[in-house]
Amino acid sequence: MDKLIIQGGGPLRGEVWISGSKNAALPILSATLLSEGLVTVANLPHLQDVTTTIELLGSLGVTVSIDEKMQLEVDNSTLQSRTAPYDLVKTMRASILVLGPLLARYGEANVSFPGGCAIGSRPVDLHLRGLEAMGATIEIEDGYIKARSDGRLVGCHILMDIVSVGATENLMMAAALAEGQTVIENAAREPEIVDLANCLNAWGADVQGAGSNRLVINGVESIEGGHFSVMPDRIETGTYLAAAVATRGRVKVTQTDPSSLEAVLLKLQETGAIITQGDDWIELDMKGKRPKAVSLRTAPYPAFPTDMQAQLTAINAVAEGTGVVVETIFENRLMQVQELNRMGAVISVEANTAVVTGVERLKAAPVMASDLRASAALVIAALVADGETVVDRIYHIDRGYECIEEKMHLLGARIKRVPG
Ligand code: UD1
C-alpha cells in the first residue's frame, strides 16, 4: 500500500488548478446509461472512484473509450448485463447510482446491496422507497437489490424525510425517463445536483428546480445524449485553501467555481484569511498569521459541508483558541481526531461533537488514513507538524484527490509518495 511522506514546515505558496468534481462525475457517468445515443463527458478527474465507475459501465457491456483530450465517450448500445456486482459495489458505494438509470431505461436492475462504511451505516432506503413510488417492485435477494418495472416507471410525488444527495440523484435520473411528472420535495440542493440536472437537460431530459428543494421532472420518452463538461471540485478547492490557512500561506486556486463554496469561504475568512476571488479563481492569504479557531456545524447545502469538516478540524488543531465542530450528517465522521491527537493535537470527542483546543505546533507521527476526507485532514496536519509524518493507507486519498502530491509539491510542500 502506498504511503505519503510529508516533511512539515513552511507555508504553502503558489497556484494550483482544480480538477473536475468527483461527486458530480459519478452520477453523470451513471446517467450515461439513460442515453440512446453517444455521450461524451469532459473534465473528468483521474481518480480511483471514476476508474471504478468506468469499470462498472464496462462490466455491464457498455463501450467506453477515452480520446486524446481525456474526454470519455460512452456507447451503451452494447449493454448486455443489468447487474452491478458485489466486487465493484463493495469498493465504491456510489455504484448504487446505476440503480435508477438501469431500471428506468431497461426495466431491470440488480445492484449489490451496499454495506455500511467507515463513516456510518449509510442506508439506501430513500432510493428504494422513491423507486417503488414510481411503480418499481424491489426485492432484496442474495445480497442484491433486485428492481423491476413493468413498462415505464410512472411519475409521482415524493417527499424525502431526510435530505439525501445520492437518493435525489438516483430518483432524478429515474424520473427523467418516467411517464409523466415527478415532483421531489425536500430534495438535496448541492451544486453537484445542479450539475447532474444541467447534464440531463443537455442530453434531452426536462428537469426543473435543481438547486432548490423542489425538483420537477417531466419524464421524456428518450434521452438522446450529447456532450457535458463536469463542474470543478468544490471540496478539492476547499481542501487546498484549508491547507493554506493551516500553514499560514498564500494560495491561489484556479479553474474552480467560487459560487459553490460560500459557507466554506465564510468559515475560512473567520480564521483570519484574506480571500479574493474572480469568476473561476480564489486566492487566500493568511499574511503569515496563525489562524483563529472556528466553530461549525455540518448540514446539507448551502450550509457547511460534511466533506470539509475534517479539514477544518485540522485547522483548529493548530489555531489560536478553541473550536467546536458538530457533525450532523454522518454518525462516525470524526475518525481523524484520534490520529490528530497522536500528532499532539488536543481534541476531545463526545458523540458527534469535537472540541478542539489549538496548539502552537503538532509533531510528526506515523498515521493512518481511515476515509477520504479524514485523510485530507492528516495531510494538512502533517504539513504543519515538526518532523516527517508518514501517512499510511493513502488509497483513501486517491479516491478523491487527483495527483495530490504533485499539486501540493507545486505549492512548495515537501511531500513524496512511496510504494508500500
Ligand atoms: C454524498 C457524497 C458525500 C457527502 C454526502 C453528504 C457522493 C458520491 N458522495 O454521499 O461525499 O459526504 O453526500 O453531503 O456524492 N441516508 C438515509 N437513507 C438513504 C440515503 C441517505 O438515511 O436512503 C442518510 C445517510 O445515512 C446520511 C444522510 O442521509 O446520514 C446523507 O447522506 P447522503 O446525502 O445520501 O450521502 P451520499 O449521497 O451517500
Side-chain angles (χ1 to χ4, degrees), residues 72-405:
L72 202 74
E73 185 179 85
V74 180
D75 170 8
N76 56 40
S77 64
T78 52
L79 185 134
Q80 284 160 344
S81 161
R82 281 131 208 210
T83 300
Y86 173 71
D87 280 350
L88 289 171
V89 179
K90 76 170 186 213
T91 63
M92 193 190 62
R93 291 181 48 85
S95 311
I96 187 76
L97 293 172
V98 300
L99 182 66
L102 275 180
L103 179 66
R105 173 87 200 283
Y106 300 99
E108 181 186 358
N110 310 299
V111 177
S112 174
F113 206 99
C117 75
I119 63 175
S121 59
R122 300 180 86 170
V124 291
D125 54 313
L126 295 169
H127 303 236
L128 305 189
R129 257 189 273 150
L131 293 173
E132 279 173 338
M134 285 187 227
T137 11
I138 295 183
E139 282 171 12
I140 311 294
E141 215 178 278
D142 308 325
Y144 277 76
I145 300 163
K146 298 193 169 173
R148 302 284 178 276
S149 163
D150 202 4
R152 281 172 79 186
L153 292 170
V154 182
C156 65
H157 186 269
I158 298 170
L159 169 66
M160 300 223 261
D161 55 0
I162 294 176
V163 178
S164 162
V165 175
T168 303
E169 291 166 344
N170 232 337
L171 299 179
M172 187 203 294
M173 292 188 282
L177 278 185
E179 206 178 314
Q181 189 177 75
T182 301
V183 176
I184 305 178
E185 307 271 9
N186 201 25
R189 300 170 56 189
E190 268 65 5
E192 293 78 12
I193 302 275
V194 178
D195 214 41
L196 176 62
N198 289 341
C199 169
L200 290 172
N201 288 343
W203 293 349
D206 181 359
V207 180
Q208 309 297 327
S212 78
N213 58 9
R214 186 170 191 268
L215 290 175
V216 178
I217 302 134
N218 297 306
V220 293
E221 270 182 36
S222 68
I223 286 179
E224 301 307 324
H227 177 71
F228 195 74
S229 182
V230 174
M231 67 177 277
D233 197 308
R234 66 192 166 104
I235 306 301
E236 189 196 24
T237 304
T239 301
Y240 284 103
L241 296 177
V245 170
T247 62
R248 309 181 191 187
R250 177 179 180 164
V251 165
K252 182 173 183 182
V253 285
T254 60
Q255 295 174 44
T256 188
D257 177 5
S259 70
S260 64
L261 274 138
E262 217 178 321
V264 173
L265 296 183
L266 281 173
K267 240 351 124 183
L268 295 178
Q269 249 159 0
E270 256 186 65
T271 70
I274 313 284
I275 295 177
T276 43
Q277 60 192 62
D279 283 348
D280 64 353
W281 59 267
I282 305 168
E283 183 163 316
L284 182 148
D285 190 354
M286 285 306 282
K287 304 269 184 207
K289 292 201 189 108
R290 184 178 177 193
K292 294 191 208 69
V294 290
S295 292
L296 62 96
R297 184 183 183 86
T298 64
Y301 192 85
F304 192 88
T306 173
D307 286 351
M308 280 300 300
Q309 175 264 107
Q311 299 87 319
L312 267 285
T313 306
I315 291 179
N316 278 341
V318 291
E320 202 182 313
T322 298
V324 178
V325 174
V326 184
E327 169 59 49
T328 74
I329 306 287
F330 292 111
E331 62 263 39
N332 192 23
R333 208 175 197 185
L334 291 166
M335 278 178 304
Q336 71 280 11
V337 166
Q338 273 186 335
E339 297 300 280
L340 291 175
N341 282 349
R342 295 183 60 247
M343 298 175 75
V346 179
I347 310 174
S348 61
V349 172
E350 205 175 312
N352 64 343
T353 302
V355 179
V356 191
T357 303
V359 296
E360 188 78 37
R361 299 211 64 83
L362 294 174
K363 290 186 207 73
V367 289
M368 198 117 73
S370 53
D371 72 72
L372 171 55
R373 306 303 169 186
S375 329
L378 297 181
V379 171
I380 292 173
L383 290 170
V384 287
D386 290 330
E388 192 178 87
T389 297
V390 180
V391 186
D392 202 351
R393 299 203 178 164
I394 59 161
Y395 56 86
H396 289 293
I397 300 185
D398 294 334
R399 290 187 47 209
Y401 292 94
E402 183 175 71
C403 322
I404 189 164
E405 67 273 26

